[in-house]
Amino acid sequence: HSLLRFPTGRIGVAAVTAGPGVTNTVTAVKNAQMAESPVLLIGGAAASLQKGRGALQDIDQLSLFRTLCKACVSVRAVRDIVPALRKAIATAQSGTPGPVFVELPIDILYPFHVVEKEIGGTKSGRGLRGKVVQWYLRNYLHNLFAGAWDHRDVSPLPVQVPLATDDEVSFGGTQSPWIGAFGVSVEGEWALWQERD
């Protein structure tokens, strides 16, 4: 990481699988935090319906990254994917840049018919209990995909390049910000250079 940072308006993006894929990024995310680098980490997750029920690779990923990231969010519906990613990118680049984490459960990443088949939303349940379960699953599926086909704003995000304040670029006064690197102030280097000519 260089002493001087020149914002490029770009953000690093990594997409990893749930569980071990996410946990293996902890060191890289900490480095991004310390380097004030804007990074969007997209992590897979167990299906929302199976969260906290012992599903494969189901861990509390948000808690893992709360102290490392500027923001952590788990997307709960297909319609929220684009807005969540746009907000995450803006957050990563705003103020002091840094990493953000967006968790995308597997059931919001697959097409409707695949998720419907997987949760059994078209089967008819037996008895009152079966009918209640089927009603719950159909309602869950409906909420998961409600608004998924509505138009979303996908225009480029504005790039805001922070500008240095007058105090940060001023060389006036008795103390130069460049003293220390080579033991000589910028003014001293300028004087030595002028004498050589």
Side-chain angles (χ1 to χ4, degrees):
H1 183 65
S2 70
L3 181 62
L4 295 175
R5 294 189 56 229
F6 295 99
T8 63
R10 295 184 182 175
I11 182 171
V13 179
V16 296
T17 190
V22 171
T23 59
N24 285 339
T25 65
V26 170
T27 302
V29 171
K30 181 61 180 177
N31 284 337
Q33 179 195 40
M34 292 173 60
E36 297 178 358
S37 297
V39 174
L40 169 61
L41 175 62
I42 301 171
S48 304
L49 197 59
Q50 298 174 336
K51 280 245 180 228
R53 295 191 171 127
L56 179 65
Q57 300 179 339
D58 180 25
I59 62 169
D60 187 0
Q61 300 174 147
L62 296 178
S63 292
L64 182 63
F65 286 104
R66 279 205 175 92
T67 61
L68 302 176
C69 294
K70 292 178 70 176
C72 294
V73 65
S74 182
V75 178
R76 297 293 181 205
V78 175
R79 68 181 170 272
D80 298 330
I81 295 173
V82 171
L85 291 175
R86 288 177 64 85
K87 185 173 183 183
I89 291 168
T91 300
Q93 293 178 314
S94 67
T96 301
V100 294
F101 175 62
V102 176
E103 180 181 79
L104 298 175
I106 195 168
D107 50 352
I108 68 166
L109 295 176
Y110 280 94
F112 178 85
H113 70 279
V114 173
V115 178
E116 181 182 43
K117 182 179 177 185
E118 187 65 29
I119 66 170
T122 58
K123 297 176 187 172
S124 59
R126 295 183 190 180
L128 181 60
R129 183 173 185 253
K131 290 185 187 310
V132 169
V133 168
Q134 289 306 310
W135 171 84
Y136 175 80
L137 292 175
R138 280 193 299 274
N139 192 45
Y140 169 79
L141 186 64
H142 172 73
N143 290 336
L144 192 65
F145 283 90
W149 295 273
D150 295 348
H151 174 73
R152 297 285 179 261
D153 181 13
V154 292
S155 62
L157 292 170
V159 177
Q160 296 177 350
V161 179
L163 300 175
T165 65
D166 290 341
D167 291 341
E168 292 171 330
V169 295
S170 136
F171 290 99
T174 58
Q175 184 73 15
S176 171
W178 297 98
I179 294 177
F182 302 103
V184 180
S185 71
V186 172
E187 291 86 359
E189 285 291 321
W190 176 254
L192 288 174
W193 184 71
Q194 284 182 325
E195 289 175 11
R196 288 187 212 137
D197 284 345

mmCIF file of all heavy atoms in Angstrom, residues 44-90:
data_model
loop_
_atom_site.group_PDB
_atom_site.id
_atom_site.type_symbol
_atom_site.label_atom_id
_atom_site.label_comp_id
_atom_site.label_asym_id
_atom_site.label_seq_id
_atom_site.Cartn_x
_atom_site.Cartn_y
_atom_site.Cartn_z
ATOM 1 N N GLY A 44 -22.119 -16.588 -0.739
ATOM 2 C CA GLY A 44 -23.292 -17.442 -0.768
ATOM 3 C C GLY A 44 -23.734 -17.771 0.645
ATOM 4 O O GLY A 44 -23.019 -17.502 1.614
ATOM 5 N N ALA A 45 -24.905 -18.341 0.774
ATOM 6 C CA ALA A 45 -25.429 -18.725 2.085
ATOM 7 C C ALA A 45 -26.468 -19.814 1.900
ATOM 8 O O ALA A 45 -27.007 -20.006 0.805
ATOM 9 C CB ALA A 45 -26.048 -17.515 2.780
ATOM 10 N N ALA A 46 -26.752 -20.499 2.981
ATOM 11 C CA ALA A 46 -27.814 -21.505 2.958
ATOM 12 C C ALA A 46 -29.132 -20.834 2.603
ATOM 13 O O ALA A 46 -29.307 -19.624 2.820
ATOM 14 C CB ALA A 46 -27.919 -22.178 4.320
ATOM 15 N N ALA A 47 -30.065 -21.590 2.072
ATOM 16 C CA ALA A 47 -31.384 -21.057 1.723
ATOM 17 C C ALA A 47 -32.017 -20.409 2.947
ATOM 18 O O ALA A 47 -31.867 -20.894 4.072
ATOM 19 C CB ALA A 47 -32.273 -22.169 1.197
ATOM 20 N N SER A 48 -32.705 -19.316 2.733
ATOM 21 C CA SER A 48 -33.328 -18.572 3.836
ATOM 22 C C SER A 48 -34.224 -19.468 4.683
ATOM 23 O O SER A 48 -34.274 -19.336 5.905
ATOM 24 C CB SER A 48 -34.153 -17.408 3.279
ATOM 25 O OG SER A 48 -33.352 -16.576 2.483
ATOM 26 N N LEU A 49 -34.925 -20.368 4.037
ATOM 27 C CA LEU A 49 -35.840 -21.273 4.725
ATOM 28 C C LEU A 49 -35.099 -22.238 5.651
ATOM 29 O O LEU A 49 -35.657 -22.723 6.619
ATOM 30 C CB LEU A 49 -36.631 -22.058 3.678
ATOM 31 C CG LEU A 49 -37.904 -22.759 4.104
ATOM 32 C CD1 LEU A 49 -38.895 -21.750 4.686
ATOM 33 C CD2 LEU A 49 -38.534 -23.470 2.921
ATOM 34 N N GLN A 50 -33.826 -22.493 5.378
ATOM 35 C CA GLN A 50 -33.054 -23.447 6.159
ATOM 36 C C GLN A 50 -32.087 -22.796 7.143
ATOM 37 O O GLN A 50 -31.363 -23.487 7.851
ATOM 38 C CB GLN A 50 -32.270 -24.359 5.212
ATOM 39 C CG GLN A 50 -33.160 -25.186 4.316
ATOM 40 C CD GLN A 50 -32.357 -25.967 3.303
ATOM 41 O OE1 GLN A 50 -31.236 -25.605 2.952
ATOM 42 N NE2 GLN A 50 -32.930 -27.056 2.812
ATOM 43 N N LYS A 51 -32.059 -21.464 7.202
ATOM 44 C CA LYS A 51 -31.140 -20.762 8.099
ATOM 45 C C LYS A 51 -31.385 -21.172 9.543
ATOM 46 O O LYS A 51 -32.518 -21.221 10.001
ATOM 47 C CB LYS A 51 -31.305 -19.257 7.955
ATOM 48 C CG LYS A 51 -30.595 -18.724 6.757
ATOM 49 C CD LYS A 51 -29.514 -17.821 7.252
ATOM 50 C CE LYS A 51 -28.762 -17.257 6.108
ATOM 51 N NZ LYS A 51 -27.348 -17.390 6.310
ATOM 52 N N GLY A 52 -30.317 -21.463 10.265
ATOM 53 C CA GLY A 52 -30.412 -21.813 11.665
ATOM 54 C C GLY A 52 -30.969 -23.197 11.931
ATOM 55 O O GLY A 52 -31.320 -23.524 13.068
ATOM 56 N N ARG A 53 -31.056 -24.021 10.900
ATOM 57 C CA ARG A 53 -31.625 -25.367 11.059
ATOM 58 C C ARG A 53 -30.614 -26.455 10.722
ATOM 59 O O ARG A 53 -30.991 -27.570 10.368
ATOM 60 C CB ARG A 53 -32.863 -25.504 10.174
ATOM 61 C CG ARG A 53 -33.973 -24.575 10.598
ATOM 62 C CD ARG A 53 -35.261 -24.892 9.895
ATOM 63 N NE ARG A 53 -36.339 -24.113 10.483
ATOM 64 C CZ ARG A 53 -37.148 -23.355 9.796
ATOM 65 N NH1 ARG A 53 -37.029 -23.262 8.489
ATOM 66 N NH2 ARG A 53 -38.107 -22.687 10.395
ATOM 67 N N GLY A 54 -29.339 -26.127 10.789
ATOM 68 C CA GLY A 54 -28.302 -27.133 10.561
ATOM 69 C C GLY A 54 -28.032 -27.452 9.111
ATOM 70 O O GLY A 54 -27.482 -28.506 8.811
ATOM 71 N N ALA A 55 -28.388 -26.557 8.201
ATOM 72 C CA ALA A 55 -28.126 -26.786 6.780
ATOM 73 C C ALA A 55 -26.616 -26.799 6.523
ATOM 74 O O ALA A 55 -25.830 -26.233 7.285
ATOM 75 C CB ALA A 55 -28.785 -25.697 5.944
ATOM 76 N N LEU A 56 -26.225 -27.453 5.448
ATOM 77 C CA LEU A 56 -24.820 -27.520 5.067
ATOM 78 C C LEU A 56 -24.248 -26.112 4.914
ATOM 79 O O LEU A 56 -24.841 -25.256 4.265
ATOM 80 C CB LEU A 56 -24.684 -28.291 3.740
ATOM 81 C CG LEU A 56 -23.259 -28.434 3.193
ATOM 82 C CD1 LEU A 56 -22.415 -29.290 4.128
ATOM 83 C CD2 LEU A 56 -23.297 -29.029 1.801
ATOM 84 N N GLN A 57 -23.109 -25.869 5.517
ATOM 85 C CA GLN A 57 -22.378 -24.597 5.442
ATOM 86 C C GLN A 57 -23.181 -23.413 5.988
ATOM 87 O O GLN A 57 -22.957 -22.275 5.580
ATOM 88 C CB GLN A 57 -21.914 -24.323 4.010
ATOM 89 C CG GLN A 57 -20.991 -25.403 3.490
ATOM 90 C CD GLN A 57 -20.540 -25.170 2.066
ATOM 91 O OE1 GLN A 57 -21.153 -24.448 1.297
ATOM 92 N NE2 GLN A 57 -19.456 -25.818 1.697
ATOM 93 N N ASP A 58 -24.093 -23.659 6.904
ATOM 94 C CA ASP A 58 -24.889 -22.581 7.497
ATOM 95 C C ASP A 58 -24.203 -22.085 8.762
ATOM 96 O O ASP A 58 -24.259 -22.741 9.802
ATOM 97 C CB ASP A 58 -26.303 -23.070 7.817
ATOM 98 C CG ASP A 58 -27.171 -21.985 8.432
ATOM 99 O OD1 ASP A 58 -26.882 -20.791 8.188
ATOM 100 O OD2 ASP A 58 -28.126 -22.324 9.146
ATOM 101 N N ILE A 59 -23.511 -20.964 8.648
ATOM 102 C CA ILE A 59 -22.898 -20.319 9.806
ATOM 103 C C ILE A 59 -23.351 -18.861 9.823
ATOM 104 O O ILE A 59 -23.853 -18.355 8.826
ATOM 105 C CB ILE A 59 -21.350 -20.398 9.769
ATOM 106 C CG1 ILE A 59 -20.803 -19.651 8.538
ATOM 107 C CG2 ILE A 59 -20.871 -21.826 9.804
ATOM 108 C CD1 ILE A 59 -19.311 -19.461 8.562
ATOM 109 N N ASP A 60 -23.159 -18.207 10.950
ATOM 110 C CA ASP A 60 -23.533 -16.805 11.064
ATOM 111 C C ASP A 60 -22.434 -15.943 10.440
ATOM 112 O O ASP A 60 -21.550 -15.447 11.124
ATOM 113 C CB ASP A 60 -23.763 -16.427 12.527
ATOM 114 C CG ASP A 60 -24.317 -15.023 12.702
ATOM 115 O OD1 ASP A 60 -24.535 -14.328 11.678
ATOM 116 O OD2 ASP A 60 -24.521 -14.623 13.852
ATOM 117 N N GLN A 61 -22.495 -15.795 9.133
ATOM 118 C CA GLN A 61 -21.460 -15.076 8.385
ATOM 119 C C GLN A 61 -21.490 -13.583 8.654
ATOM 120 O O GLN A 61 -20.447 -12.919 8.647
ATOM 121 C CB GLN A 61 -21.627 -15.357 6.883
ATOM 122 C CG GLN A 61 -21.505 -16.823 6.556
ATOM 123 C CD GLN A 61 -21.801 -17.162 5.112
ATOM 124 O OE1 GLN A 61 -21.196 -18.070 4.592
ATOM 125 N NE2 GLN A 61 -22.704 -16.483 4.455
ATOM 126 N N LEU A 62 -22.663 -13.023 8.905
ATOM 127 C CA LEU A 62 -22.769 -11.582 9.146
ATOM 128 C C LEU A 62 -22.009 -11.187 10.411
ATOM 129 O O LEU A 62 -21.302 -10.175 10.429
ATOM 130 C CB LEU A 62 -24.229 -11.150 9.236
ATOM 131 C CG LEU A 62 -25.054 -11.343 7.964
ATOM 132 C CD1 LEU A 62 -26.493 -10.909 8.204
ATOM 133 C CD2 LEU A 62 -24.467 -10.588 6.794
ATOM 134 N N SER A 63 -22.131 -11.982 11.467
ATOM 135 C CA SER A 63 -21.414 -11.683 12.718
ATOM 136 C C SER A 63 -19.912 -11.737 12.508
ATOM 137 O O SER A 63 -19.162 -10.977 13.123
ATOM 138 C CB SER A 63 -21.809 -12.668 13.817
ATOM 139 O OG SER A 63 -23.139 -12.463 14.192
ATOM 140 N N LEU A 64 -19.462 -12.625 11.663
ATOM 141 C CA LEU A 64 -18.038 -12.776 11.380
ATOM 142 C C LEU A 64 -17.441 -11.498 10.787
ATOM 143 O O LEU A 64 -16.309 -11.133 11.083
ATOM 144 C CB LEU A 64 -17.834 -13.949 10.422
ATOM 145 C CG LEU A 64 -16.416 -14.320 10.036
ATOM 146 C CD1 LEU A 64 -15.631 -14.774 11.254
ATOM 147 C CD2 LEU A 64 -16.438 -15.415 8.991
ATOM 148 N N PHE A 65 -18.224 -10.789 9.956
ATOM 149 C CA PHE A 65 -17.695 -9.628 9.236
ATOM 150 C C PHE A 65 -18.106 -8.270 9.813
ATOM 151 O O PHE A 65 -17.662 -7.246 9.313
ATOM 152 C CB PHE A 65 -18.091 -9.710 7.759
ATOM 153 C CG PHE A 65 -17.308 -10.744 7.016
ATOM 154 C CD1 PHE A 65 -17.881 -11.962 6.693
ATOM 155 C CD2 PHE A 65 -15.998 -10.530 6.660
ATOM 156 C CE1 PHE A 65 -17.166 -12.936 6.023
ATOM 157 C CE2 PHE A 65 -15.261 -11.486 5.996
ATOM 158 C CZ PHE A 65 -15.846 -12.702 5.674
ATOM 159 N N ARG A 66 -18.963 -8.245 10.820
ATOM 160 C CA ARG A 66 -19.437 -6.953 11.345
ATOM 161 C C ARG A 66 -18.311 -6.030 11.800
ATOM 162 O O ARG A 66 -18.410 -4.829 11.641
ATOM 163 C CB ARG A 66 -20.444 -7.179 12.463
ATOM 164 C CG ARG A 66 -21.801 -7.483 11.918
ATOM 165 C CD ARG A 66 -22.940 -7.135 12.861
ATOM 166 N NE ARG A 66 -24.184 -7.379 12.153
ATOM 167 C CZ ARG A 66 -24.852 -8.527 12.188
ATOM 168 N NH1 ARG A 66 -24.391 -9.531 12.902
ATOM 169 N NH2 ARG A 66 -25.963 -8.672 11.498
ATOM 170 N N THR A 67 -17.265 -6.572 12.396
ATOM 171 C CA THR A 67 -16.166 -5.719 12.868
ATOM 172 C C THR A 67 -15.153 -5.410 11.770
ATOM 173 O O THR A 67 -14.306 -4.546 11.955
ATOM 174 C CB THR A 67 -15.434 -6.380 14.051
ATOM 175 O OG1 THR A 67 -14.893 -7.627 13.626
ATOM 176 C CG2 THR A 67 -16.368 -6.581 15.228
ATOM 177 N N LEU A 68 -15.249 -6.092 10.645
ATOM 178 C CA LEU A 68 -14.283 -5.899 9.564
ATOM 179 C C LEU A 68 -14.813 -5.031 8.430
ATOM 180 O O LEU A 68 -14.027 -4.486 7.664
ATOM 181 C CB LEU A 68 -13.875 -7.259 8.976
ATOM 182 C CG LEU A 68 -13.262 -8.275 9.931
ATOM 183 C CD1 LEU A 68 -13.023 -9.591 9.209
ATOM 184 C CD2 LEU A 68 -11.985 -7.742 10.517
ATOM 185 N N CYS A 69 -16.127 -4.951 8.305
ATOM 186 C CA CYS A 69 -16.738 -4.294 7.150
ATOM 187 C C CYS A 69 -17.512 -3.038 7.544
ATOM 188 O O CYS A 69 -18.027 -2.950 8.656
ATOM 189 C CB CYS A 69 -17.682 -5.261 6.436
ATOM 190 S SG CYS A 69 -16.824 -6.655 5.672
ATOM 191 N N LYS A 70 -17.608 -2.127 6.611
ATOM 192 C CA LYS A 70 -18.412 -0.922 6.818
ATOM 193 C C LYS A 70 -19.891 -1.260 6.883
ATOM 194 O O LYS A 70 -20.651 -0.577 7.550
ATOM 195 C CB LYS A 70 -18.167 0.077 5.677
ATOM 196 C CG LYS A 70 -16.763 0.661 5.684
ATOM 197 C CD LYS A 70 -16.573 1.603 4.517
ATOM 198 C CE LYS A 70 -17.392 2.866 4.708
ATOM 199 N NZ LYS A 70 -17.162 3.847 3.642
ATOM 200 N N ALA A 71 -20.295 -2.309 6.189
ATOM 201 C CA ALA A 71 -21.699 -2.750 6.192
ATOM 202 C C ALA A 71 -21.751 -4.231 5.881
ATOM 203 O O ALA A 71 -20.929 -4.754 5.127
ATOM 204 C CB ALA A 71 -22.506 -1.971 5.163
ATOM 205 N N CYS A 72 -22.721 -4.912 6.484
ATOM 206 C CA CYS A 72 -22.991 -6.328 6.229
ATOM 207 C C CYS A 72 -24.487 -6.474 6.050
ATOM 208 O O CYS A 72 -25.259 -5.991 6.874
ATOM 209 C CB CYS A 72 -22.554 -7.198 7.406
ATOM 210 S SG CYS A 72 -20.797 -7.224 7.702
ATOM 211 N N VAL A 73 -24.899 -7.157 4.986
ATOM 212 C CA VAL A 73 -26.329 -7.317 4.731
ATOM 213 C C VAL A 73 -26.596 -8.694 4.141
ATOM 214 O O VAL A 73 -25.777 -9.224 3.395
ATOM 215 C CB VAL A 73 -26.858 -6.199 3.797
ATOM 216 C CG1 VAL A 73 -26.242 -6.292 2.417
ATOM 217 C CG2 VAL A 73 -28.356 -6.216 3.716
ATOM 218 N N SER A 74 -27.733 -9.259 4.515
ATOM 219 C CA SER A 74 -28.200 -10.498 3.918
ATOM 220 C C SER A 74 -29.441 -10.176 3.105
ATOM 221 O O SER A 74 -30.406 -9.615 3.631
ATOM 222 C CB SER A 74 -28.533 -11.526 5.005
ATOM 223 O OG SER A 74 -28.935 -12.739 4.404
ATOM 224 N N VAL A 75 -29.422 -10.496 1.825
ATOM 225 C CA VAL A 75 -30.539 -10.208 0.944
ATOM 226 C C VAL A 75 -31.612 -11.276 1.162
ATOM 227 O O VAL A 75 -31.309 -12.467 1.176
ATOM 228 C CB VAL A 75 -30.078 -10.169 -0.529
ATOM 229 C CG1 VAL A 75 -31.242 -9.912 -1.461
ATOM 230 C CG2 VAL A 75 -29.003 -9.108 -0.709
ATOM 231 N N ARG A 76 -32.856 -10.857 1.340
ATOM 232 C CA ARG A 76 -33.937 -11.786 1.676
ATOM 233 C C ARG A 76 -34.943 -12.019 0.548
ATOM 234 O O ARG A 76 -35.788 -12.892 0.660
ATOM 235 C CB ARG A 76 -34.690 -11.280 2.914
ATOM 236 C CG ARG A 76 -33.847 -11.207 4.147
ATOM 237 C CD ARG A 76 -33.454 -12.583 4.581
ATOM 238 N NE ARG A 76 -32.660 -12.529 5.800
ATOM 239 C CZ ARG A 76 -31.817 -13.466 6.132
ATOM 240 N NH1 ARG A 76 -31.634 -14.504 5.375
ATOM 241 N NH2 ARG A 76 -31.125 -13.365 7.241
ATOM 242 N N ALA A 77 -34.875 -11.245 -0.530
ATOM 243 C CA ALA A 77 -35.810 -11.410 -1.648
ATOM 244 C C ALA A 77 -35.091 -11.052 -2.943
ATOM 245 O O ALA A 77 -34.179 -10.218 -2.950
ATOM 246 C CB ALA A 77 -37.041 -10.529 -1.460
ATOM 247 N N VAL A 78 -35.509 -11.672 -4.029
ATOM 248 C CA VAL A 78 -34.884 -11.450 -5.330
ATOM 249 C C VAL A 78 -34.928 -9.970 -5.713
ATOM 250 O O VAL A 78 -33.954 -9.422 -6.221
ATOM 251 C CB VAL A 78 -35.564 -12.324 -6.411
ATOM 252 C CG1 VAL A 78 -35.016 -12.023 -7.794
ATOM 253 C CG2 VAL A 78 -35.397 -13.803 -6.079
ATOM 254 N N ARG A 79 -36.046 -9.291 -5.430
ATOM 255 C CA ARG A 79 -36.189 -7.880 -5.798
ATOM 256 C C ARG A 79 -35.165 -6.976 -5.104
ATOM 257 O O ARG A 79 -34.923 -5.861 -5.534
ATOM 258 C CB ARG A 79 -37.600 -7.392 -5.483
ATOM 259 C CG ARG A 79 -37.895 -7.319 -4.001
ATOM 260 C CD ARG A 79 -39.312 -6.863 -3.671
ATOM 261 N NE ARG A 79 -39.607 -7.046 -2.272
ATOM 262 C CZ ARG A 79 -40.095 -8.156 -1.738
ATOM 263 N NH1 ARG A 79 -40.348 -9.195 -2.514
ATOM 264 N NH2 ARG A 79 -40.322 -8.231 -0.451
ATOM 265 N N ASP A 80 -34.561 -7.455 -4.025
ATOM 266 C CA ASP A 80 -33.625 -6.640 -3.254
ATOM 267 C C ASP A 80 -32.169 -6.824 -3.650
ATOM 268 O O ASP A 80 -31.296 -6.140 -3.120
ATOM 269 C CB ASP A 80 -33.784 -6.951 -1.753
ATOM 270 C CG ASP A 80 -35.166 -6.613 -1.242
ATOM 271 O OD1 ASP A 80 -35.791 -5.671 -1.778
ATOM 272 O OD2 ASP A 80 -35.634 -7.294 -0.298
ATOM 273 N N ILE A 81 -31.883 -7.730 -4.590
ATOM 274 C CA ILE A 81 -30.488 -7.984 -4.969
ATOM 275 C C ILE A 81 -29.830 -6.728 -5.528
ATOM 276 O O ILE A 81 -28.781 -6.295 -5.043
ATOM 277 C CB ILE A 81 -30.380 -9.152 -5.980
ATOM 278 C CG1 ILE A 81 -30.834 -10.460 -5.338
ATOM 279 C CG2 ILE A 81 -28.949 -9.281 -6.496
ATOM 280 C CD1 ILE A 81 -30.927 -11.637 -6.316
ATOM 281 N N VAL A 82 -30.413 -6.136 -6.561
ATOM 282 C CA VAL A 82 -29.794 -4.972 -7.206
ATOM 283 C C VAL A 82 -29.698 -3.785 -6.243
ATOM 284 O O VAL A 82 -28.614 -3.198 -6.110
ATOM 285 C CB VAL A 82 -30.532 -4.600 -8.513
ATOM 286 C CG1 VAL A 82 -30.039 -3.267 -9.061
ATOM 287 C CG2 VAL A 82 -30.349 -5.698 -9.556
ATOM 288 N N PRO A 83 -30.777 -3.402 -5.536
ATOM 289 C CA PRO A 83 -30.636 -2.289 -4.592
ATOM 290 C C PRO A 83 -29.589 -2.548 -3.503
ATOM 291 O O PRO A 83 -28.839 -1.641 -3.128
ATOM 292 C CB PRO A 83 -32.032 -2.147 -3.987
ATOM 293 C CG PRO A 83 -32.958 -2.740 -4.982
ATOM 294 C CD PRO A 83 -32.176 -3.839 -5.633
ATOM 295 N N ALA A 84 -29.510 -3.775 -3.005
ATOM 296 C CA ALA A 84 -28.530 -4.086 -1.961
ATOM 297 C C ALA A 84 -27.106 -3.966 -2.487
ATOM 298 O O ALA A 84 -26.232 -3.424 -1.808
ATOM 299 C CB ALA A 84 -28.770 -5.492 -1.409
ATOM 300 N N LEU A 85 -26.873 -4.451 -3.702
ATOM 301 C CA LEU A 85 -25.535 -4.356 -4.280
ATOM 302 C C LEU A 85 -25.158 -2.912 -4.589
ATOM 303 O O LEU A 85 -24.022 -2.496 -4.362
ATOM 304 C CB LEU A 85 -25.433 -5.227 -5.537
ATOM 305 C CG LEU A 85 -25.482 -6.735 -5.297
ATOM 306 C CD1 LEU A 85 -25.490 -7.488 -6.619
ATOM 307 C CD2 LEU A 85 -24.325 -7.191 -4.421
ATOM 308 N N ARG A 86 -26.111 -2.130 -5.101
ATOM 309 C CA ARG A 86 -25.842 -0.708 -5.382
ATOM 310 C C ARG A 86 -25.489 0.042 -4.092
ATOM 311 O O ARG A 86 -24.548 0.822 -4.054
ATOM 312 C CB ARG A 86 -27.034 -0.058 -6.069
ATOM 313 C CG ARG A 86 -27.234 -0.500 -7.500
ATOM 314 C CD ARG A 86 -28.472 0.110 -8.115
ATOM 315 N NE ARG A 86 -28.369 1.557 -8.224
ATOM 316 C CZ ARG A 86 -27.780 2.212 -9.234
ATOM 317 N NH1 ARG A 86 -27.235 1.529 -10.211
ATOM 318 N NH2 ARG A 86 -27.747 3.521 -9.254
ATOM 319 N N LYS A 87 -26.253 -0.209 -3.039
ATOM 320 C CA LYS A 87 -25.996 0.463 -1.757
ATOM 321 C C LYS A 87 -24.656 0.010 -1.179
ATOM 322 O O LYS A 87 -23.903 0.821 -0.640
ATOM 323 C CB LYS A 87 -27.123 0.175 -0.771
ATOM 324 C CG LYS A 87 -26.974 0.929 0.525
ATOM 325 C CD LYS A 87 -28.166 0.774 1.418
ATOM 326 C CE LYS A 87 -27.963 1.615 2.676
ATOM 327 N NZ LYS A 87 -29.055 1.465 3.619
ATOM 328 N N ALA A 88 -24.339 -1.272 -1.305
ATOM 329 C CA ALA A 88 -23.066 -1.786 -0.800
ATOM 330 C C ALA A 88 -21.884 -1.141 -1.516
ATOM 331 O O ALA A 88 -20.903 -0.751 -0.875
ATOM 332 C CB ALA A 88 -23.021 -3.306 -0.945
ATOM 333 N N ILE A 89 -21.981 -1.017 -2.826
ATOM 334 C CA ILE A 89 -20.889 -0.397 -3.593
ATOM 335 C C ILE A 89 -20.720 1.063 -3.187
ATOM 336 O O ILE A 89 -19.604 1.535 -2.976
ATOM 337 C CB ILE A 89 -21.149 -0.542 -5.104
ATOM 338 C CG1 ILE A 89 -21.012 -2.003 -5.516
ATOM 339 C CG2 ILE A 89 -20.202 0.345 -5.921
ATOM 340 C CD1 ILE A 89 -21.511 -2.318 -6.916
ATOM 341 N N ALA A 90 -21.829 1.782 -3.066
ATOM 342 C CA ALA A 90 -21.763 3.187 -2.651
ATOM 343 C C ALA A 90 -21.155 3.309 -1.257
ATOM 344 O O ALA A 90 -20.338 4.195 -0.995
ATOM 345 C CB ALA A 90 -23.157 3.813 -2.693
#
